[in-house]
Amino acid sequence: MIRLFVALSLPEALCDELSMMCGGIPGARWVPEENYHLTLRFIGEVPGWQAQEVDDALAGIRAPGFDLTLRGVGTFGKSGRISALWVGVEKTEPLVFLQSKVETALQRGGLEPERKRFAPHVTLARTDRAAPEKAIAFVQAHNLFRAAPVPVDGFTLYSSRLGKEQAVYEREVEYGLLDPKPAAAIRA
Ligand code: 2AM
């Protein structure tokens, strides 16, 4: 069995920028910079034969590249507990288009439909062992964060091995996106 997910990796300079924000919350488990990513679809544990079908399905995707903009900071959690801190992502049309292509391809590859709504984010920390006030203060301090847009020209099938402290992610396969439409073609 292999644990898989489909995600966008982020350029190193952007990861550096994100990691510079991190720190100052006792008990938080910060995601190591090399693990930052934007999940398009969590797949979970599948047998080897199905991983092959997933790969075949993803390889058939045709979608244009686009610019990705990270902005804002938020939390996941419920009933007064905050489980994660993340940086938000502008939910643009080409990003949603790619995510829906991935979803359709994976269903064709035999996976059950994803029930959760797509909420694009980059997780910075797990905070279930931290004081919620500290996580809230972090959000208030960084809420105006906005990164320069970065070009996205592909997406990645990652495997994940759960470690004691942090998961170990491996880039298994990279898939290219089509050249984005030139501005002149969009105006025409
Ligand atoms: P998260 O960062 O919001 O926790 C690899 O585990 C990636 O898949 C993570 O980015 C994680 O999102 C995402 N993911 C989505 N659903 C998941 C699940 N049920 N279990 C583990 N990871 C999940």
Side-chain angles (χ1 to χ4, degrees):
M1 296 288 270
I2 179 165
R3 187 180 167 91
L4 297 172
F5 63 99
V6 182
L8 301 180
S9 56
L10 304 174
E12 210 176 314
L14 181 56
C15 293
D16 288 347
E17 201 179 335
L18 295 182
S19 76
M20 276 189 289
M21 255 198 287
C22 297
I25 306 180
R29 286 166 295 146
W30 298 96
V31 174
E33 190 176 330
E34 65 275 14
N35 275 4
Y36 290 151
H37 62 273
L38 189 175
T39 302
L40 296 173
R41 172 61 140 87
F42 180 71
I43 295 173
E45 302 259 349
V46 294
W49 64 266
Q50 195 164 24
Q52 186 56 56
E53 295 203 352
V54 161
D55 176 28
D56 291 344
L58 294 174
I61 290 178
R62 298 287 170 269
F66 54 91
D67 281 347
L68 184 76
T69 304
L70 268 50
R71 67 150 79 192
V73 174
T75 62
F76 286 141
K78 54 180 167 195
S79 38
R81 300 200 65 82
I82 295 179
S83 56
L85 278 177
W86 43 261
V87 165
V89 176
E90 282 186 5
K91 202 171 171 182
T92 58
E93 194 235 298
L95 171 63
V96 171
F97 180 75
L98 174 61
Q99 193 272 335
S100 66
K101 283 279 195 178
V102 168
E103 178 60 32
T104 312
L106 292 179
Q107 287 181 28
R108 258 192 240 121
L111 297 182
E112 290 296 313
E114 173 59 85
R115 306 248 166 255
K116 280 198 252 167
R117 205 171 70 92
F118 179 47
H121 65 276
V122 178
T123 299
L124 296 179
R126 317 268 166 211
T127 51
D128 36 329
R129 294 181 210 153
E133 312 82 72
K134 296 277 183 195
I136 291 164
F138 181 91
V139 172
Q140 284 165 348
H142 296 286
N143 214 13
L144 295 179
F145 173 79
R146 190 179 200 280
V150 291
V152 175
D153 57 11
F155 61 100
T156 306
L157 179 62
Y158 282 88
S159 66
S160 156
R161 278 182 296 117
L162 300 178
K164 262 210 186 109
E165 275 304 307
Q166 295 290 350
V168 178
Y169 299 146
E170 203 82 59
R171 289 180 200 181
E172 298 289 340
V173 193
E174 309 272 352
Y175 308 92
L177 294 173
L178 305 171
D179 277 343
K181 286 181 205 144
I186 294 169
R187 277 198 300 272

